[in-house]
């Protein structure tokens, strides 16, 4: 993103120059354990939000930003709270996740995101998180993971 800030010119190519896989459960970014997800993930969102003043279509930027904020919220779960190396009780995990959900920009994204732009998993998360049903989301995620393992 810093490169975009410093660039004198940005050119758009209507072809894929980089390929990554997106599934309903993740973007192929790995799933390593990160003890402090708050610092890097929130910094990423702050840096992304700093582009808002540089774009002409603010409404579209906000739509994209809300989708990214939901994705980053799920990264917190995947890289820490749902990770096998994080040994807290399910109730402590729930409390921590709700604390994150209640902070900006996640709370705003949960209220304003256009769910048509989200994966099935992210849509489900938004619906359940809006009702503070974190444990139900955990249960469904674990069941889905088991089902995928048995299908292999």
């Amino acid at each position: 993103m810093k490169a975009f800030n410093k660039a004198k010119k940005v050119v758009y190519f209507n072809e894929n120059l980089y390929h990554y896989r997106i599934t309903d459960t993740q973007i192929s970014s790995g799933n390593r354990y990160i003890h402090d997800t708050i610092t890097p993930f929130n910094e990423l969102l702050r840096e992304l939000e700093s582009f808002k003043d540089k774009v002409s279509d603010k409404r579209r930027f906000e739509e994209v930003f809300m989708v990214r904020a939901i994705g980053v919220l799920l990264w917190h779960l995947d890289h820490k709270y749902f990770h096998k190396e994080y040994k807290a009780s399910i109730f402590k995990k729930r409390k921590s996740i709700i604390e994150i959900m209640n902070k900006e920009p996640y709370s705003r994204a949960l209220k304003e995101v256009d769910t048509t732009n989200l994966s099935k998993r992210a849509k489900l998360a938004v619906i359940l998180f809006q009702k503070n049903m974190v444990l139900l989301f955990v249960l469904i995620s674990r069941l889905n993971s088991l089902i995928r393992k048995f299908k292999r």
Side-chain angles (χ1 to χ4, degrees), residues 92-131:
K92 183 175 182 203
K93 290 177 184 183
R94 177 186 181 273
K95 181 181 178 200
S96 297
I97 293 165
I98 289 173
E99 285 173 6
I100 292 171
M101 289 171 18
N102 288 330
K103 292 182 179 163
E104 286 298 322
Y106 309 109
S107 61
R108 183 168 41 108
L110 286 168
K111 291 175 192 159
E112 298 176 11
V113 71
D114 179 357
T115 57
T116 60
N117 296 318
L118 298 175
S119 68
K120 291 176 190 173
R121 179 179 185 236
K123 283 179 190 177
L124 180 64
V126 168
I127 291 165
L128 295 178
F129 289 176
Q130 287 172 339
K131 299 170 183 0

